[in-house]
Amino acid sequence: MKIISSIEELRDHLSGQLRTAFVPTMGNLHEGHLSLMRLARKHGDPVVASIFVNRLQFGPNEDFEKYPRTFQSDVEKLEKEGVYILFAPTEKDLYPEPQEFRVRPPDDLGNTLEGEFRPGFFGGVTTVVLKLFSCVRPRVAVFGKKDYQQLMIVRNMARQFALPTEIIGAETIRADDGLALSSRNMYLSEAERAEAPRLYQALNFVATEMRAGHLDVFQLEHKAMEQLAAHGWNPDYISIRKRADLQPPSAGDLAQGSPLVVLAAARLGTTRLIDNLEI
């Protein structure tokens, strides 16, 4: 595996490659990330991964400095997966001058759910993703469904900018008890880790109720959040949305059986976890 930090060197190595498959990450890799590498290989060759902790998507009170950085361990895992190139730019490599040009997602998608609780987050994500795409020039790029809203925003961005990159969504990888794998799980204490699967249980409660014909969306959302709060969680949202555009479903949408997804974000101790479940 080649480890490259320079954009120019990366482009030289990938010159003439027409089937590059790309997986962007922020490192601290776990089985969820590695499953993305395997899916990427099914859709292209060579496989390129990136590790870059993107300052632009962190708010002023978020954990940029504390975000876990495990580079050597990450390298070993990627080598075992047969990744061809690891693009690991420094901030000076990727942002040699202040990144004053930014991508701004539309307000109805970028400022709801995660965007409401993390202002500017998706602008930071789309800006770095567009820049990474410019560096790698992939035919396909793989993103996990755990970050459901992010996947939709990146997919819409690629379509509207007519990027020559197909966006592939990968299913969420879970621990045996249902907890979605996440780099932030390492922040959980032993007791919190035992409690953490309740978030997925809350999503399953909502999905089960809706499949049984209980369509009072507000009541279901409120009840699921109360269940979490009763066990020491501080929920930001549990929200039932249309899969097509992540807008709240109308009575007509519910009556017609429009495909839905329930999304959640909640804090357990000092750790903020997100998850979702398609209905």
Side-chain angles (χ1 to χ4, degrees):
M1 184 176 72
K2 297 177 175 67
I3 301 174
I4 296 174
S5 61
S6 158
I7 295 173
E8 291 73 22
E9 185 182 352
L10 177 73
R11 287 177 173 165
D12 284 345
H13 275 283
L14 292 175
S15 177
Q17 297 285 358
L18 301 178
R19 299 185 62 249
T20 300
F22 179 44
V23 184
T25 83
M26 293 206 301
N28 192 223
L29 304 182
H30 50 66
E31 182 59 29
H33 294 109
L34 302 182
S35 73
L36 304 184
M37 309 297 162
R38 294 168 202 143
L39 182 59
R41 180 167 293 101
K42 293 179 180 179
H43 291 272
D45 181 65
V47 174
V48 177
S50 68
I51 293 177
F52 182 71
V53 183
N54 177 42
R55 189 185 297 270
L56 297 186
Q57 69 195 63
F58 286 80
N61 298 315
E62 294 185 334
D63 57 353
F64 174 78
E65 298 297 341
K66 294 190 297 181
Y67 193 86
R69 291 161 171 84
T70 54
F71 189 76
Q72 281 309 123
S73 172
D74 294 343
V75 166
E76 293 170 9
K77 292 173 182 175
L78 293 176
E79 285 180 329
K80 289 179 182 177
E81 294 299 329
V83 169
Y84 174 58
I85 289 176
L86 168 58
F87 181 44
T90 66
E91 286 193 285
K92 286 187 178 180
D93 288 315
L94 204 58
Y95 302 131
E97 58 184 283
Q99 188 67 36
E100 295 169 339
F101 285 85
R102 305 286 184 98
V103 179
R104 178 180 170 180
D107 289 347
D108 62 348
L109 185 56
N111 290 344
T112 188
L113 300 169
E114 285 298 281
E116 177 183 348
F117 287 90
R118 302 183 68 187
F121 171 69
F122 286 118
V125 168
T126 49
T127 298
V128 77
V129 168
L130 184 60
K131 193 156 192 179
L132 288 169
F133 282 3
S134 175
C135 298
V136 178
R137 300 169 180 170
R139 189 188 71 81
V140 299
V142 180
F143 292 79
K145 277 190 177 183
K146 184 181 77 71
D147 298 290
Y148 202 91
Q149 188 175 7
Q150 173 179 281
L151 171 62
M152 175 172 285
I153 287 174
V154 169
R155 182 171 277 152
N156 289 0
M157 178 186 74
R159 185 184 69 250
Q160 289 198 9
F161 279 117
L163 301 180
T165 302
E166 177 188 356
I167 308 301
I168 296 172
E171 296 299 327
T172 301
I173 304 298
R174 300 184 180 276
D176 291 342
D177 58 9
L179 177 65
L181 299 191
S182 168
S183 296
R184 288 189 166 90
N185 291 351
M186 67 179 294
Y187 296 151
L188 297 168
S189 69
E190 187 176 345
E192 289 167 348
R193 175 61 186 84
E195 170 63 25
R198 194 177 303 276
L199 185 62
Y200 186 51
Q201 293 166 13
L203 296 177
N204 274 288
F205 161 76
V206 172
T208 299
E209 290 292 301
M210 293 207 72
R211 289 169 185 147
H214 303 149
L215 301 181
D216 187 329
V217 167
F218 177 79
Q219 184 185 59
L220 285 176
E221 293 171 343
H222 188 67
K223 189 169 183 179
M225 290 179 72
E226 282 186 330
Q227 289 176 0
L228 287 179
H231 288 86
W233 294 71
N234 182 16
D236 284 341
Y237 60 83
I238 293 182
S239 188
I240 299 163
R241 299 294 177 106
K242 293 185 291 181
R243 289 189 216 171
D245 55 12
L246 291 189
Q247 298 306 302
S250 67
D253 294 323
L254 296 172
Q256 293 165 16
S258 296
L260 303 173
V261 58
V262 55
L263 307 102
R267 200 172 294 277
L268 182 58
T270 60
T271 305
R272 188 174 183 274
L273 301 176
I274 66 170
D275 203 350
N276 65 79
L277 183 63
E278 292 179 331
I279 302 174

